Amino acid sequence: MTPERVEARLKAVRTAMADEGVDALVLRPSPDFRFLGGQGADFLVVTRDTLAETADPARWVPEGARRVGVDAEMRVRELFGLAIEAELVPASAVLAPLRLRKEPDELAALERAALRAEEVLGQARELAWFGASERAMAAALRMLALESGCEEVLALRVAAGEHTARPAHLPGDRVINPGDALLVSLCGRWDGYCAEVARVFAVAEPPEDFEAMYSVVLAAYGAALAAARPPAPASDVVRAVGAVIDGSGYGRFAAAHAGRGVGLGPDEGPRLGEDTPLAPGMTFCLEPAIYVPELFGARVADVVACTEAGPVVLSSGPPGAASLHVLER
């Protein structure tokens, strides 16, 4: 970041600190750390007149400080090691509202990240899937992601057949066979910003009833996009997904979450289950899903930006129901 950008953010942070009665912030390397220009592996300390990157944060906390905001990602041993005699409170009370709305260059970075994630999944279509294991294909996708410039692969999912119905499934030794449904997703960080894309495929031919269920997920995705228009509450997006899936008869199989905020971190504001009004500059990962136990599941995910004109999908978005991609090898 430019010094001017850091200074502008510091000014806003210090105003918020005063409003919250926070005398200092102590941040470890994390999204909040990067938001304020942190570069190294030490702590970043912000006071009302100081910004310091240091291995000894206690040295920079003002004497007599009563409330100190600490990073939500700080480990317990790090908290004990601070040796700060003050009330420790979450730094998110100060920083989360300031990170909700992205600036134009941040939106551009998020778009680049989303397009790179999608490019990786596009390359995945050309790989040889028949007879390979989930774990082997996940390793191949990880390599493609790193070759695309991904700084960190945060989550990578390859699930075949009945495993697509498990929301938290990790790639295993199951062999991918013709007739399997296939769910592939990649969440990573490119140039500091996080993006996730998830796509659904069929191997040779889709399982019976799979396309009908997949079309419901796509309809829920479309309804959610239509609802994501500022200044509607973020919860309208969740309600739109629920209305479509419930109306289809798949309601009891719907995923617990329809999306989450994304930016410097993979899970941040806005919280789609809350009534925070959507505003231009807010970004979130839209991820409706249906999981039918022991049969199959479908989930699509893309990063969406809110604009004055309405929502914008930062990648190309999922294909239509009639275009379920069938892997031929």
Side-chain angles (χ1 to χ4, degrees):
M1 287 194 301
T2 64
E4 293 78 14
R5 170 68 61 80
V6 173
E7 191 57 39
R9 288 184 175 177
L10 277 175
K11 182 177 180 180
V13 165
R14 285 170 174 146
T15 298
M17 287 171 62
D19 292 342
E20 293 290 331
V22 171
D23 300 300
L25 299 177
V26 178
L27 309 174
R28 68 180 304 278
S30 67
D32 285 337
F33 181 95
R34 293 192 295 274
F35 178 73
L36 290 176
Q39 298 292 324
D42 293 325
F43 295 94
L44 192 69
V45 179
V46 183
T47 70
R48 295 178 185 180
D49 55 12
T50 301
L51 173 68
E53 194 164 341
T54 175
D56 182 15
R59 173 189 169 198
W60 295 92
V61 174
E63 186 176 350
R66 297 171 58 188
R67 300 181 83 225
V68 174
V70 295
D71 203 303
E73 296 190 11
M74 197 169 290
R75 302 178 181 90
V76 172
R77 62 179 175 81
E78 291 173 330
L79 286 170
F80 281 112
L82 291 179
I84 295 172
E85 295 183 3
E87 179 188 2
L88 302 182
V89 299
S92 56
V94 171
L95 292 166
L98 301 178
R99 289 177 49 202
L100 268 178
R101 299 179 67 170
K102 276 59 175 180
E103 298 171 30
D105 61 325
E106 292 183 285
L107 293 173
L110 279 161
E111 181 176 23
R112 289 193 298 271
L115 289 172
R116 289 180 185 176
E118 184 175 49
E119 180 182 358
V120 171
L121 295 196
Q123 292 174 321
R125 297 181 181 187
E126 306 307 317
L127 300 176
W129 291 83
F130 292 13
S133 70
E134 295 171 337
R135 182 176 287 113
M137 298 312 294
L141 289 175
R142 181 178 296 273
M143 183 61 65
L144 288 174
L146 295 175
E147 289 173 352
S148 78
C150 183
E151 298 159 3
E152 182 180 7
V153 176
L154 300 167
L156 197 158
R157 183 181 180 194
V158 174
E162 70 284 358
H163 289 174
T164 60
R166 302 176 182 177
H169 177 71
L170 296 177
D173 293 326
R174 187 195 188 283
V175 173
I176 299 163
N177 296 306
D180 281 340
L182 191 64
L183 179 53
V184 182
S185 65
L186 169 64
C187 180
R189 181 179 291 113
W190 286 263
D191 298 329
Y193 285 84
C194 301
E196 178 165 4
V197 172
R199 295 289 181 261
V200 174
F201 307 121
V203 182
E205 60 180 354
E208 186 177 359
D209 298 328
F210 181 72
E211 285 185 278
M213 185 268 286
Y214 175 57
S215 70
V216 174
V217 174
L218 291 179
Y221 179 103
L225 276 182
R229 304 187 69 88
S235 54
D236 276 6
V237 177
V238 176
R239 280 191 284 270
V241 169
V244 171
I245 297 179
D246 289 346
S248 73
Y250 282 101
R252 63 195 177 106
F253 303 123
H257 305 287
R260 65 193 192 278
V262 66
L264 285 168
D267 187 357
E268 57 185 49
R271 304 296 175 187
L272 295 190
E274 299 176 357
D275 290 332
T276 304
L278 294 173
M282 290 184 179
T283 52
F284 60 89
C285 179
L286 177 60
E287 48 183 347
I290 295 173
Y291 301 111
V292 183
E294 306 305 322
L295 285 180
F296 42 60
R299 171 177 173 265
V300 293
D302 287 287
V303 179
V304 176
C306 295
T307 74
E308 294 282 1
V312 174
V313 180
L314 297 185
S315 50
S316 65
S323 303
L324 174 65
H325 189 81
V326 177
L327 300 170
E328 300 293 350
R329 64 190 183 114

